[in-house]
Amino acid sequence: MAEAYPTFLAGQRITAALLRSSQEQVARKTSDTPRTAVTTTFADPHLQFEVAANAAYRWSGWVKYDGPTAADLSLDFSAPASSLGEWGAIGIGHSPVIGASAAPAFLTDTQDARGYLTRFETNDVTSARSYGCLGTGGTPLTVWVYGTLRTSTTPGTFSLDWAQLVSNATAVTLYTDSWLSLLRTA
């Protein structure tokens, strides 16, 4: 059965708050965020939402990043206590980044016309996954993220958390205009 939130009823008073609750929310990075020599993930300052208790959401987003090959990117999400859900992403694998050439041959840490091998697995909404970097200043990469979130009796913050996979003195940076969208479905 399809879900929708909220359920509008005949004769119901329609308020601005009720209409807003039925709209998709979008969080967009308004500035670059670099992180240097840190492997513990924590919330991105721009990519987070307040979520209600006993609610269900679907979400998606696009993350543009860059960093040193030796560092890579670790992504996960924070959610209120006892929340459940799954997330997946489409992005290149980590250390070493593998590309495919026309030969056919695999290439390490090299961009080629045929692209890269990618990660597609799903995992728990608060579990981390890592994605590769190709070196700073020349080849920004992207990860398409998507998933579900079901909160329990605790409201709170849902956020994209990230850090370097391996500590490195050169920053991994999440770029301006990366975004997440969130829609309550129940």
Side-chain angles (χ1 to χ4, degrees):
M1 183 169 111
E3 294 180 310
Y5 180 87
T7 302
F8 294 101
L9 303 171
Q12 180 178 10
R13 181 179 154 94
I14 304 297
T15 64
L18 182 63
L19 288 172
R20 177 157 167 68
S21 72
S22 69
Q23 293 179 327
E24 184 173 36
Q25 299 177 59
V26 177
R28 181 183 62 85
K29 287 190 67 58
T30 56
S31 63
D32 296 349
T33 304
R35 293 197 174 153
T36 303
V38 60
T39 59
T40 301
T41 62
F42 57 97
D44 185 89
H46 304 106
L47 302 178
Q48 48 189 287
F49 302 94
E50 291 305 310
V51 293
N54 302 308
Y57 298 88
R58 70 156 172 82
W59 55 270
S60 64
W62 178 78
V63 177
K64 180 181 177 183
Y65 70 99
D66 193 5
T69 302
D72 290 338
L73 172 69
S74 180
L75 291 179
D76 71 356
F77 296 86
S78 290
S82 301
S83 292
L84 298 171
E86 296 283 327
W87 74 279
I90 300 172
I92 65 170
H94 71 87
S95 294
V97 172
I98 303 294
S101 72
F106 290 128
L107 306 168
T108 303
D109 295 330
T110 304
Q111 182 179 13
D112 192 87
R114 295 193 183 238
Y116 307 105
L117 299 181
T118 57
R119 297 189 75 164
F120 291 98
E121 67 269 67
T122 182
N123 52 281
D124 182 77
V125 72
T126 57
S127 293
R129 284 284 182 245
S130 56
Y131 298 90
C133 293
L134 290 176
T136 57
T139 311
L141 299 168
T142 63
V143 178
W144 182 260
V145 294
Y146 50 89
T148 60
L149 173 67
R150 295 183 319 278
T151 60
S152 185
T153 58
T154 307
T157 302
F158 176 66
S159 64
L160 181 138
D161 300 356
W162 65 279
Q164 294 179 334
L165 179 64
V166 177
S167 182
N168 193 286
T170 302
V172 170
T173 302
L174 258 60
Y175 288 113
T176 302
D177 292 332
S178 296
W179 58 270
L180 285 179
S181 67
L182 180 81
L183 178 67
R184 185 168 176 181
T185 58

